[in-house]
Amino acid sequence: NAGVMQNPRHLVRRRGQEARLRCSPMKGHSHVYWYRQLPEEGLKFMVYLQKENIIDESGMPKERFSAEFPKEGPSILRIQQVVRGDSAAYFCASSRSTDTQYFGPGTRLTVL
Amino acid sequence: AQTVTQSQPEMSVQEAETVTLSCTYDTSESDYYLFWYKQPPSRQMILVIRQEAYKQQNATENRFSVNFQKAAKSFSLKISDSQLGDAAMYFCAYRLYTGTASKLTFGTGTRLQVTL
């Protein structure tokens, strides 16, 4: 049973470009969560989605960030007009309901 | 709002010895989950152990066990017979047990070094 998949593993963008991060949950999991880890810090919750619905986006910055989890395909975290402060590791987790969350390997975003 | 505090930024243990990592949390809720996650240099987040707040019995997974003190809001992790592969960042996390409020709140982590 494949785990949570994230791609790309590493992403380099210049300031002002867009970043798209993808997350495929574990088989049978319909709940997806995105977390951000700044250097030398713990993980901070960003958004929680179920298929086609955003359930909790209380940790999402109000501007430039958006997330979706369509009926078909992976969940996407989109960051528009990236700035240096967006450089971080972005982790996706999935769960079967409100059960234990299993994490993907993360995407490390570097903004030049 | 719930908060999770890990007061030990770094800990060191000799191989085969036992080490305890501390975690305290603040919540006004009575039903919740607590977790310990391990993050090795690969940065993959790995679930170590999980505790349901309604269970009085402390969770155990092989060499890993917890000391859950609900009244004190304390949730420490004990690693017995430490191995070199245990070297990692360890994060304590809290999750409310209800409907859709499923986000994890993490502490700032404890870096564990294992020496020969």
Side-chain angles (χ1 to χ4, degrees), chain A residues 9 33 35 37 40-43 45 48 50 55-56 58 89 91 97-105 108, chain B residues 33 35 37 39 41-45 47 50 91 95 97-108 111:
Chain A
R9 294 293 306 276
Y33 315 81
Y35 295 85
Q37 184 177 32
E40 305 303 320
E41 293 188 11
L43 278 72
F45 168 78
Y48 160 34
Q50 293 181 27
I55 306 301
D56 180 357
S58 59
F91 288 91
S97 59
T98 53
D99 204 345
T100 298
Q101 295 176 27
Y102 294 92
F103 283 79
R108 186 172 297 190
Chain B
Y33 294 110
F35 304 84
Y37 282 89
Q39 188 178 46
S42 67
R43 305 203 66 166
Q44 173 79 53
M45 293 291 287
L47 177 66
R50 151 187 162 153
F91 292 99
R95 198 182 87 222
Y97 178 73
T98 182
T100 59
S102 293
K103 66 183 178 184
L104 285 164
T105 300
F106 286 89
T108 51
R111 186 178 303 277

Side-chain angles (χ1 to χ4, degrees), chain A residues 2-6 9-10 23-24 26 37 43 89-94 101-108, chain B residues 36-48 85-91 106:
Chain A
V4 179
M5 309 284 283
Q6 287 189 251
R9 294 293 306 276
H10 299 274
C23 169
S24 296
M26 286 178 69
Q37 184 177 32
L43 278 72
Y90 291 82
F91 288 91
C92 167
S94 73
Q101 295 176 27
Y102 294 92
F103 283 79
T107 293
R108 186 172 297 190
Chain B
W36 279 97
Y37 282 89
K38 169 185 176 181
Q39 188 178 46
S42 67
R43 305 203 66 166
Q44 173 79 53
M45 293 291 287
I46 302 165
L47 177 66
V48 174
D86 295 333
M89 282 291 288
Y90 285 81
F91 292 99
F106 286 89

Side-chain angles (χ1 to χ4, degrees), chain A residues 8-72:
Chain A
R9 294 293 306 276
H10 299 274
L11 182 61
V12 180
R13 286 287 178 266
R14 296 191 180 277
R15 281 180 295 169
Q17 290 184 320
E18 179 180 286
R20 284 193 179 220
L21 288 62
R22 294 174 185 76
C23 169
S24 296
M26 286 178 69
K27 188 176 180 180
H29 288 192
S30 60
H31 299 248
V32 165
Y33 315 81
W34 286 93
Y35 295 85
R36 177 165 66 175
Q37 184 177 32
L38 295 171
E40 305 303 320
E41 293 188 11
L43 278 72
K44 295 280 175 32
F45 168 78
M46 299 181 74
V47 63
Y48 160 34
L49 310 100
Q50 293 181 27
K51 284 285 187 181
E52 299 185 278
N53 288 301
I54 296 175
I55 306 301
D56 180 357
E57 55 182 347
S58 59
M60 192 85 108
K62 293 288 186 284
E63 297 179 351
R64 300 188 298 108
F65 286 73
S66 63
E68 63 176 7
F69 188 17
K71 187 176 180 180
E72 301 290 338

